[in-house]
């Protein structure tokens, strides 16, 4: 690992307010196990009664409240505009406010069992050993991984030069050919996509968009792509993985 | 809070293997801040390189790996069939296996900064102060909150006795009238739904399903509901809340 990580463990003799404040000021991620209740107000209002919860406050302001069961958080706020901490009698309040749309999450702690803050500049690499077919499967389940509003039309459509990975329709009704690469896309991927787009467009007699979907693209490939009027969308492999493993959605794909 | 919670803080002089094993054996939820890498194999394979991660192992076997940023976990497994812990040289491995479908998540720890396990039988109450309109809005965004395969047809359709909260079509093409209650649904809610179903069914000359969607239903109401051939679906308020606050979906509703 490059660079030394910073880790601050909360000692019970410390003041929890100062611990939170200094950790937030230094943009550290914070993990608290505490007895707390949660008030939310935004589009609606809710209150989570007092219980033992794991509170995660990330360095980018994302806040999650987890209970002892289930993989989904009980409460969460993906983005926070401001985080404030204050004392309210015996209680300590962490207030996460998001301004657009207005949402306020108030976590009211009455007891802290453990708290720790950490910061690291190192971002571990995530490698997926899937096949292109797996990426396509993920996108079939959730086309928004490539573009909002896409609908899947056909898988492996035969055109003159070969098989199109995925054929979709965008939200404006235009046909979109998608070519997947599971690693860095190079010149040959761009050529391949261009062949498919050209073939399909002439077969149907109407314009067709071409998207190269891959985790990375080489500089040469990117430049050729632009020249040919094609598009690149970065595939987030972590997100794709999630759609490969969510099996409850399996039935939808077959439709 | 009823009953005393159990909380075990990991002391560095302890053996991390025994700490994990005993916490798992007692079905405690575990929070670890550690330096670890993650291997996944299932439908695809992935490897998350070594970094500081927050690992949550819930009492029901759900496993989450969170990084310092973002509200989404980097890796997760919603359900686990078996959790095993073993030493591999200097490293400590937590292996979470799910059998159907086969998925294996291996978390390989090389350093532990903090670990804590907790157990509580108390389940805090979650109260939502939303309006029925908010529940409806959540269901419009995600009709699966009421039933898989529902499609929204009309909001507040006027029938003779009043306004139908939500009119949908189920996956077999049948019309479904949905009536929302934000608290316990009573006899009057059932009567109201029945009036709507009767009116719409006679207006259109075809059978219509009626669903009462509420967090709870009284015993009397449930019995009347069955008699009248209507259905009840428990609305999970926490899940609804999430759909009320996901604003990226806003544009879809207006379609």
């Amino acid at each position: 690992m490059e660079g030394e990580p910073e880790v601050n463990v909360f000692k019970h003799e410390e003041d929890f307010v100062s611990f939170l404040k200094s950790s937030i000021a230094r943009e550290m991620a914070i993990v608290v196990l505490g007895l707390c209740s949660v008030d939310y107000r935004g589009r609606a209002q809710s209150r989570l009664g007092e219980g033992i919860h794991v509170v995660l406050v990330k360095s980018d302001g994302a806040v999650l409240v987890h209970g002892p069961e289930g993989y989904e958080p009980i409460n969460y706020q993906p983005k926070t505009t401001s985080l404030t901490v204050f004392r309210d009698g015996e209680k300590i309040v962490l207030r996460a406010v998001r301004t657009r749309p207005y949402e306020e999450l108030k976590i009211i702690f009455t007891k802290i069992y453990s708290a720790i803050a950490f910061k690291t500049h190192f971002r571990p690499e995530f490698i997926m050993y899937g096949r292109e077919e797996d990426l396509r499967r993920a996108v079939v389940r959730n086309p928004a991984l490539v573009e909002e509003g896409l609908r899947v039309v056909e898988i492996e459509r035969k055109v003159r030069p070969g098989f199109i990975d995925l054929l979709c329709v965008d939200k404006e009704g235009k046909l979109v050919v998608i070519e997947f690469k599971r690693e860095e896309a190079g010149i040959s991927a761009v050529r391949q996509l261009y062949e498919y787009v050209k073939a399909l467009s002439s077969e149907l007699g109407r314009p067709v968009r071409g998207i190269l979907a891959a985790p990375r693209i080489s500089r040469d490939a990117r430049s050729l792509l632009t020249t040919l009027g094609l598009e690149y969308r970065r595939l987030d492999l972590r997100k794709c993985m999630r759609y490969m493993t969510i099996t409850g959605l399996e039935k939808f794909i077959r439709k």
Side-chain angles (χ1 to χ4, degrees), chain A residues 71-88:
Chain A
Y71 76 97
E72 290 197 84
I74 301 172
N75 263 314
Y76 73 84
Q77 191 149 285
K79 274 181 188 165
T80 292
T81 316
S82 77
L83 280 165
T84 47
V85 183
F86 55 92
R87 199 174 279 281
D88 178 10

Side-chain angles (χ1 to χ4, degrees), chain A residues 1-2 5 118-128 216 234 236-238:
Chain A
M1 267 184 59
E2 298 156 27
F118 69 106
K119 184 171 191 163
T120 165
H121 291 291
F122 178 76
R123 215 186 155 77
E125 201 186 4
F126 183 86
I127 306 164
M128 201 191 76
R216 295 179 302 281
R234 195 180 74 81
D236 184 325
L237 295 185
R238 297 178 195 202

Side-chain angles (χ1 to χ4, degrees), chain A residues 7 23 36 58 64 81 89 95 111 133 137 147 168 183 194 221 227 229 232:
Chain A
V7 177
S23 305
C36 61
K58 300 291 193 80
L64 299 107
T81 316
R95 184 166 164 268
K111 188 170 179 176
E133 192 189 319
R137 188 182 288 130
E147 185 175 287
C168 291
E183 288 175 354
Y194 185 62
T227 307
Y232 167 68

Side-chain angles (χ1 to χ4, degrees), chain A residues 5-74:
Chain A
E6 250 185 283
V7 177
N8 287 347
V9 183
F10 171 65
K11 309 278 188 308
H12 283 268
E13 58 271 28
E14 271 174 64
D15 179 355
F16 187 55
V17 172
S18 348
F19 174 82
L20 285 181
K21 280 190 174 172
S22 69
S23 305
I24 291 168
R26 290 156 75 195
E27 292 182 353
M28 296 175 93
I30 310 164
V31 190
V32 183
L33 181 73
L35 188 60
C36 61
S37 58
V38 183
D39 281 341
Y40 164 83
R41 64 170 64 223
R43 194 180 289 270
Q45 278 184 60
S46 75
R47 183 176 169 80
L48 171 66
E50 188 163 83
I52 299 189
H53 297 113
V54 180
V55 178
L56 300 181
V57 181
K58 300 291 193 80
S59 59
D60 58 355
V63 179
L64 299 107
V65 179
H66 270 279
E69 287 178 2
Y71 76 97
E72 290 197 84
I74 301 172

